[in-house]
Amino acid sequence: MSQNTPPTVQRTVVLGSTSRYRRELLSRLNLPFEVAAPDVDETPQAGESPRDLALRLALAKARAVAERFPQAVVIGSDQVADLAGQPLGKPGEHARAVEQLRQMRGQTVVFQTALAVVCLATGFEQVDLAPVKVLFRPLSDDEIENYLQAEKPYDCAGSAKSEGLGIALLEAIENDDPTALVGLPLIRTARMLRAAGVQLL
């Protein structure tokens, strides 16, 4: 570091999410961070597209947590499964998961994974979207039932965990940020954290 370079303030990073999947992904960046629940109403607005819903909620989560941690760099994220323009949320229970997977079999579903990074102290705010196109196999009812009994992915948008047995449900995945489908696009996250002044390497 030259004498003319001012020291960088390394701000606390806060993940505004209760998702264990996002927590595990963010830990890959080898960066100390805290976790805080965003407490945001995730109800879709009338006529809101899955893409717009994901973007709105990611930013709302980041802003909500930033209000409590104004000096920190806060990450918010949200994912909505988009089947022909219709949002598919987390199923929550078995019957809804069966229904979702029956709807998606043989179809291309776009998992709209949105990311927001906010720091109130510096006025930094960025939002980005990492859409992932997923082609589901023409699944039989038995395959759907066997998968759900094995993995119970009821806390996952679209009722499938691609990082686990759920990969066997799929024909193809198309994206430019490999972890986006799991819930946090790390290439974009790293880019936005650097832009917010966080040193990663």
Side-chain angles (χ1 to χ4, degrees):
M1 183 183 290
S2 73
Q3 291 181 334
N4 297 327
T5 305
T8 304
V9 176
Q10 186 72 325
R11 295 187 179 277
T12 301
V13 174
V14 179
L15 176 62
S17 174
T18 55
S19 164
R20 60 190 172 95
Y21 308 109
R22 292 193 178 103
R23 188 166 63 244
E24 288 165 5
L25 287 171
L26 187 58
S27 67
R28 293 187 193 181
L29 297 182
N30 198 27
L31 183 76
F33 65 92
E34 299 177 23
V35 175
D39 192 25
V40 167
D41 181 3
E42 300 189 20
T43 306
Q45 296 176 351
E48 189 172 34
S49 71
R51 175 186 184 277
D52 291 344
L53 173 62
L55 287 166
R56 177 176 64 80
L57 290 180
L59 185 56
K61 290 175 181 180
R63 285 175 171 171
V65 173
E67 290 289 339
R68 286 154 36 209
F69 299 88
Q71 296 297 323
V73 173
V74 179
I75 301 166
S77 187
D78 193 78
Q79 184 181 74
V80 180
D82 179 349
L83 176 60
Q86 295 301 310
L88 299 177
K90 298 170 185 173
E93 46 92 25
H94 185 81
R96 283 199 63 207
V98 170
E99 181 185 345
Q100 284 190 352
L101 288 174
R102 284 177 175 170
Q103 285 180 281
M104 295 187 297
R105 57 185 168 193
Q107 303 293 317
T108 296
V109 179
V110 181
F111 285 79
Q112 306 282 9
T113 307
L115 174 72
V117 174
V118 171
C119 180
L120 291 185
T122 63
F124 182 88
E125 185 173 283
Q126 277 190 9
V127 189
D128 203 355
L129 188 74
V132 184
K133 287 185 179 180
V134 177
L135 175 59
F136 280 78
R137 293 175 42 249
L139 304 164
S140 69
D141 285 351
D142 282 347
E143 285 178 308
I144 289 172
E145 184 64 26
N146 291 340
Y147 168 67
L148 292 176
Q149 291 297 340
E151 200 149 59
K152 296 181 170 52
Y154 307 134
D155 60 346
C156 298
S159 306
K161 294 182 186 179
S162 64
E163 69 275 25
L165 181 59
I167 201 73
L169 305 174
L170 310 180
E171 199 70 60
I173 298 173
E174 181 185 327
N175 71 353
D176 66 356
D177 206 332
T179 59
L181 187 53
V182 185
L184 188 68
L186 284 182
I187 292 175
R188 285 168 173 80
T189 301
R191 180 189 305 144
M192 290 165 72
L193 288 174
R194 287 193 299 267
V198 177
Q199 293 181 325
L200 295 179
L201 296 171

